[in-house]
Amino acid sequence: MATILGSVMTSHVPAIGGAIAKQRQAEPYWKPFFDGYPPVHAWLGRVQPDVAVVFFQDHGLNFFLDKLPTFAVGAAAEYRNADEGWGIPTLKPIKGDPALSWHIIEALIGDEFDITTCQEMKVDHALTLPLALLWPGGGDWPVRVVPITINHVQHPLPSPKRSYALGESVGRAIRSWDSDARVLVMGTGGLSHQLDGERAGFINKPFDLMCMDALVSDPRKLTRYSAMDLVREAGAQGTELMAWIAARAALPGHVTKVHSNYHIPISNTAAGLLVLENDAAALSKAA
Ligand code: DHB
Ligand code: FE
């Protein structure tokens, strides 16, 4: 059966794409952010994933206010990046894993999740920039992906509890997949930020740090918050935290924290990074 190696959760601020393109990683503004990633590269080099199942958000690229699925799963052979309005360079297409996508879709429907299945899906900064942070250099992506979006755009949003249940179901599906694939689960977005309205620029460091701790040792604690609680505590776009919650729920139990980083601000966002290794996985790569 497939092995879940662990999870990487990271912010996905569009400006990161500009900083990479202009090679600004060592500039004082960006250095504390990009310095978070070399330990992730070392861990990925050790565990060598084949596939990444990515919980993220569509920011208006595929879905808009007229039609907005609560949860959508990609089942394409390839995903193309498009710029949904930030003016950042588009990155290389990413290979999909239709067999794993359909296995996950079957399992989710079996668990009574009314998801939207997407045989074509464009991907925005929320999927591509985390990949570029994890595998820098512009070469071919070393992983196939299964993209799973969670609505954070149009209310009513799903609850953290429902996002957690989604992640649990996806985790069970991966672990029941008849394959020797090594699977990384990613959650992108967050942490606290609000891009518009009266509280534009809102950041809540104590709440973010509490969430990062809870994701390691007591992730169910976060299911006690409603979506509107998250809006209040983390800002309107801080609801992207639900992708981190789903990713954590896909890991079966006890995890070891490999690495974390937290830096305020990157653009309007409190930038977070968390790497969790799944204690249940036999992680030594076969020679
Ligand atoms: C910003 C953050 C996001 O998560 C996003 O999707 C767009 C913009 C920002 O802080 O600029
Ligand atoms: Fe976002």
Side-chain angles (χ1 to χ4, degrees):
M1 294 298 154
T3 303
I4 300 183
L5 305 166
S7 182
V8 179
M9 296 118 170
T10 174
S11 302
H12 63 218
V13 179
I16 298 162
I20 292 173
K22 293 176 188 140
Q23 299 194 338
R24 293 196 163 146
Q25 292 91 332
E27 292 181 7
Y29 181 86
W30 287 103
K31 194 171 169 6
F33 172 78
F34 281 101
D35 277 355
Y37 291 86
V40 190
H41 306 152
W43 183 74
L44 290 170
R46 189 164 72 75
V47 302
Q48 298 195 28
D50 306 305
V51 195
V53 174
V54 189
F55 293 97
F56 71 117
Q57 308 79 21
D58 183 273
H59 295 72
L61 184 62
N62 294 278
F63 317 123
F64 201 55
L65 305 181
D66 55 339
K67 299 180 198 71
L68 223 164
T70 299
F71 301 126
V73 183
E78 183 182 81
Y79 300 94
R80 290 190 172 268
N81 182 206
D83 175 20
E84 76 278 20
W86 298 99
I88 53 176
T90 52
L91 301 182
K92 286 187 179 173
I94 309 125
K95 286 201 168 46
D97 191 324
L100 178 55
S101 287
W102 285 111
H103 179 76
I104 288 173
I105 289 165
E106 293 274 357
L108 284 170
I109 299 286
D111 279 348
E112 301 180 347
F113 282 92
D114 304 316
I115 50 169
T116 298
T117 56
C118 303
Q119 301 200 48
E120 291 183 350
M121 194 190 241
K122 288 180 280 186
V123 289
D124 71 14
H125 67 277
L127 186 128
T128 55
L129 294 180
L131 292 186
L133 288 166
L134 269 51
W135 292 283
D140 285 340
W141 303 115
V143 288
R144 310 182 294 276
V145 296
V146 174
I148 304 178
T149 64
I150 300 178
N151 168 30
H152 82 306
V153 169
Q154 167 118 303
H155 288 260
L157 308 185
S159 64
K161 186 174 167 211
R162 189 68 174 153
S163 302
Y164 191 95
L166 178 86
E168 283 185 307
S169 180
V170 168
R172 282 193 300 272
I174 297 168
R175 295 194 301 281
S176 69
W177 187 39
D178 188 7
S179 160
D180 59 5
R182 299 167 68 82
V183 183
L184 175 71
V185 181
M186 294 172 61
T188 95
L191 287 172
S192 57
H193 64 300
Q194 172 143 345
L195 299 179
D196 50 18
E198 278 178 21
R199 291 200 309 166
F202 176 77
I203 279 174
N204 186 346
K205 181 174 179 178
F207 183 77
D208 288 339
L209 296 181
M210 181 280 292
C211 290
M212 288 178 78
D213 279 349
L215 285 162
V216 180
S217 52
D218 186 14
R220 278 181 198 279
K221 175 175 168 183
L222 302 179
T223 65
R224 289 184 220 132
Y225 292 91
S226 68
M228 289 311 288
D229 288 338
L230 286 193
V231 171
R232 192 183 62 247
E233 296 294 337
Q237 282 72 41
T239 53
E240 291 179 341
L241 176 68
M242 281 195 247
W244 292 44
I245 292 173
R248 174 62 177 93
L251 307 182
H254 201 268
V255 297
T256 300
K257 177 168 140 183
V258 176
H259 176 64
S260 68
N261 191 39
Y262 183 83
H263 176 67
I264 297 173
I266 289 297
S267 184
N268 295 293
T269 299
L273 168 66
L274 184 60
V275 182
L276 303 175
E277 185 165 297
N278 173 15
D279 290 355
L283 291 184
S284 52
K285 176 90 178 167

